[in-house]
Amino acid sequence: MTQRLPFRVAAPGKLYVAGEYAVVTPGQQAILIAVDRYVSATVTPAQPAQTATPTEQVLAHDHGVAAAANRSFGTDYALAAWLVMDALRAERGIDPIPVDLHFDSTLRSDTGEKYGLGSSGAATMAVITAFNELYDLGLTVTEKLKLGILASIEISPRASGGDLAAGALGGWVYYQAPDRDHLARVLSDNVSVTEAMTGPAWLPMRARRIPTPSEVQVLIGWTGSPAATDHLVSQATTNGNGLDWDADFLRPSAANVNSLLLALAEEKFPLIHAGIRTARKLLARMAHDTTTLVETPALTTLIDTAERFAGTSAKTSGAGGGDCGIVLAEPWVNADDIYAAWRDHGIQPLPLSVTQLGAGRKE
């Protein structure tokens, strides 16, 4: 039973609470939140494409067909997801339904700059969700996540998939990445999608919702500097400079994430604050030893300004190098006071909330 056209799907953005950089290593733990900013895709009957290649607004059926014929998708995450999903459709013996996908996003500023909320991952999950609805594929959340990873690693092999997990699940999310180096490349190596969704490389992957800590306020500030995530992650993970990656970063990060999970579950604020500050220190040491710019001066100002208020802890969120900082605050803290202090330093508060809605149909 395919879906009547048109219909609309949406996938949320994400922010890291703890575990970024470590999470690119298979099986390493991270905590993320899905935020109530979205990439939406409206699915309509196909029309002749107005452009030769997809735009940020439209991925036409014609674009997908041409990309499949040329085996080319460049750095377009939505197009890579289209190709993976169309291959899965064909493997299941389902006739194609020519449709166009019309995108809109609230993961950017009014002037079009990315907030660092995982727009590529959200676009990927929107395409996968659209195909799942269109062809009534009945995919589980884990299957949608796997398909998103198979699409994204074709473009960014180091991408952990954390943004995809948050987008697929919604809420507060615990995540461990698969062994992406040993996953099949379904677009470049022409392996069947069905086959690529199984195998030992997936064994380290974990993705699950964790209980939402109801008393925790999440405050987000944006420094206005988009981060080059792939470049930063590549630099951090290849620049040794004497860092014992396992002993100095991965193991302490894993222990800290596990402690933070317990602290959040029990809403023990002294332990929550300790976990956030430990995550910041670990990132700072890793950044120093790999000469990677994670915490820019603007992000340091964001964090230090927030932590002048009692009942708060703060850190960078995600790759750093600009983008967002995250604050976990106790329920009595006045967020407006922190926002005002940020604005005095040219930092933009982002009025975001944790969304419980993962990628899905939008009525």
Side-chain angles (χ1 to χ4, degrees):
M1 172 66 185
T2 53
Q3 292 294 337
R4 290 183 179 176
L5 301 173
F7 66 90
R8 196 169 182 224
V9 298
K14 65 84 183 75
L15 281 167
Y16 275 92
V17 177
E20 54 269 83
Y21 283 97
V23 74
V24 299
T25 300
Q28 280 288 316
Q29 299 94 322
I31 302 170
L32 304 95
I33 51 173
V35 297
D36 59 349
R37 296 285 184 98
Y38 302 89
V39 170
S40 301
T42 302
V43 184
T44 64
Q47 301 291 326
Q50 300 297 304
T51 58
T53 56
T55 66
E56 285 185 358
Q57 287 74 40
V58 181
L59 169 50
H61 177 72
D62 288 350
H63 296 142
V65 170
N70 300 329
R71 299 177 64 80
S72 168
F73 47 88
T75 58
D76 190 324
Y77 287 89
L79 185 55
W82 193 102
L83 291 169
V84 168
M85 294 305 292
D86 195 59
L88 180 65
R89 175 217 38 95
E91 288 169 25
R92 293 195 177 183
I94 302 170
D95 291 335
I97 302 170
V99 294
D100 298 338
L101 304 180
H102 303 264
F103 296 102
D104 65 89
S105 172
T106 53
L107 301 181
R108 294 172 179 266
S109 72
D110 292 341
T111 53
E113 293 171 290
K114 291 183 178 181
Y115 286 131
L117 301 174
S119 55
S120 298
T124 300
M125 289 311 306
V127 173
I128 287 163
T129 304
F131 270 76
N132 184 47
E133 294 283 329
L134 177 66
Y135 293 112
D136 198 23
L137 298 175
L139 299 171
T140 66
V141 170
T142 299
E143 288 170 335
K144 287 200 279 187
L145 173 55
K146 285 183 173 183
L147 290 160
I149 291 171
L150 290 173
S152 67
I153 61 171
E154 296 276 0
I155 295 169
S156 178
R158 292 182 181 274
S160 70
D163 53 352
L164 301 166
L169 286 158
W172 288 69
V173 172
Y174 173 85
Y175 179 68
Q176 299 171 201
D179 182 356
R180 298 171 314 291
D181 288 346
H182 292 96
L183 291 177
R185 297 300 193 264
V186 296
L187 301 183
S188 44
D189 294 340
N190 212 22
V191 179
S192 87
V193 179
T194 307
E195 183 184 342
M197 290 171 72
T198 64
W202 292 107
L203 291 176
M205 188 178 86
R206 301 282 184 277
R208 60 180 171 84
R209 292 275 295 261
I210 61 175
T212 295
S214 58
E215 294 292 296
V216 174
Q217 292 191 76
V218 180
L219 312 180
I220 308 301
W222 182 56
T223 63
S225 315
T229 302
D230 286 351
H231 170 74
L232 288 166
V233 170
S234 177
Q235 179 165 336
T237 52
T238 55
N239 256 17
N241 285 20
L243 175 75
D244 185 330
W245 191 252
D246 195 56
D248 294 342
F249 186 61
L250 295 182
R251 285 206 294 269
S253 178
N256 186 54
V257 168
N258 287 333
S259 299
L260 189 54
L261 281 170
L262 287 172
L264 288 165
E266 297 171 358
E267 303 208 46
K268 291 185 175 175
F269 278 102
L271 298 177
I272 291 171
H273 296 321
I276 294 298
R277 291 180 185 132
T278 297
R280 183 190 183 192
K281 286 176 188 165
L282 287 169
L283 285 168
R285 184 166 71 184
M286 180 278 296
H288 176 267
D289 289 350
T290 60
T291 60
T292 304
L293 182 64
V294 173
E295 191 174 301
T296 60
L299 281 168
T300 299
T301 298
L302 181 157
I303 293 163
D304 291 348
T305 300
E307 289 205 341
R308 289 195 192 105
F309 295 85
T312 66
S313 53
K315 59 181 282 294
T316 56
S317 179
D323 280 349
C324 294
I326 187 169
V327 180
L328 299 192
E330 298 178 33
W332 51 267
V333 172
N334 187 335
D336 289 337
D337 291 344
I338 295 175
Y339 293 158
W342 278 346
R343 288 190 191 97
D344 288 343
H345 291 285
I347 293 160
Q348 182 179 335
L350 295 183
L352 304 178
S353 300
V354 178
T355 178
Q356 303 301 323
L357 300 174
R361 181 76 174 257
K362 196 168 187 179
E363 299 305 334

